[in-house]
Amino acid sequence: MSSAVRTLVALGAIAVLGVFDAIVTPRLVFTPMLGVVVALSAWHVGARVGMGIALAAGAARFIADLTWHASDPLTAWNALAWSAAFVGLALMVSRARARGDVVAALETRIGELIQIEHSFARTDPLTSLCNRRAFIDALQQAEARSRRSGGALA
């Protein structure tokens, strides 16, 4: 799914949840579900779109709050607090996603370096010939093979 489609789906989900929040009694709030939509959009689309979705969720929460309560400073404060919480959630989730990508790239690089280190432990880096450790390992494997087969060590 493209990022534009994901953004439209998130905005649609925010609209539907906002309508449910406005229609249903104020004792049953859909605000946590708005947070889930914000987190998913920030994870899958990015920080900028996530913050836009967060602001849309804050607006939906404010409109739903206006259907049940008067327009007073407390309603405005709640709208501001929810919007700030949604934006903070979007920033944290997108930052966690970015950090996870960095960690995955570092783990890949560490795996590559460990393979290089293992090859350097068995070969001379200048001549690429086997060193003493590789010779001893090969000798031990040949000795074990000759014991199992009962043949001579050659």
Side-chain angles (χ1 to χ4, degrees):
M1 213 187 303
S2 70
S3 61
V5 172
R6 289 180 180 176
T7 303
L8 291 175
V9 167
L11 287 173
I14 293 293
V16 168
L17 290 171
V19 167
F20 281 154
D21 211 4
I23 292 173
V24 180
T25 177
R27 293 182 60 195
L28 178 65
V29 294
F30 288 89
T31 306
M33 291 181 197
L34 293 173
V36 171
V37 173
V38 168
L40 287 173
S41 65
W43 182 268
H44 289 288
V45 183
R48 283 188 178 188
V49 173
M51 288 191 312
I53 299 296
L55 292 174
R61 176 70 181 122
F62 177 63
I63 293 168
D65 211 14
L66 285 177
T67 60
W68 294 103
H69 305 291
S71 178
D72 59 352
L74 183 60
T75 304
W77 170 255
N78 282 340
L80 183 64
W82 277 111
S83 296
F86 289 144
V87 167
L89 176 65
L91 289 174
M92 286 189 297
V93 168
S94 65
R95 187 169 299 200
R97 170 72 186 260
R99 293 289 173 129
D101 293 343
V102 168
V103 167
L106 288 174
E107 287 176 346
T108 301
R109 180 67 179 144
I110 287 172
E112 293 169 358
L113 291 174
I114 287 173
Q115 287 179 348
I116 291 170
E117 181 184 1
H118 283 298
S119 70
F120 281 162
R122 302 271 188 268
T123 59
D124 180 41
L126 182 61
T127 62
S128 296
L129 296 174
C130 292
N131 62 10
R132 180 175 180 263
R133 178 177 291 161
F135 174 74
I136 291 173
D137 287 346
L139 181 63
Q140 288 173 347
Q141 288 174 359
E143 185 180 19
R145 189 172 38 249
S146 71
R147 273 196 221 124
R148 282 193 307 267
S149 65
L153 182 63

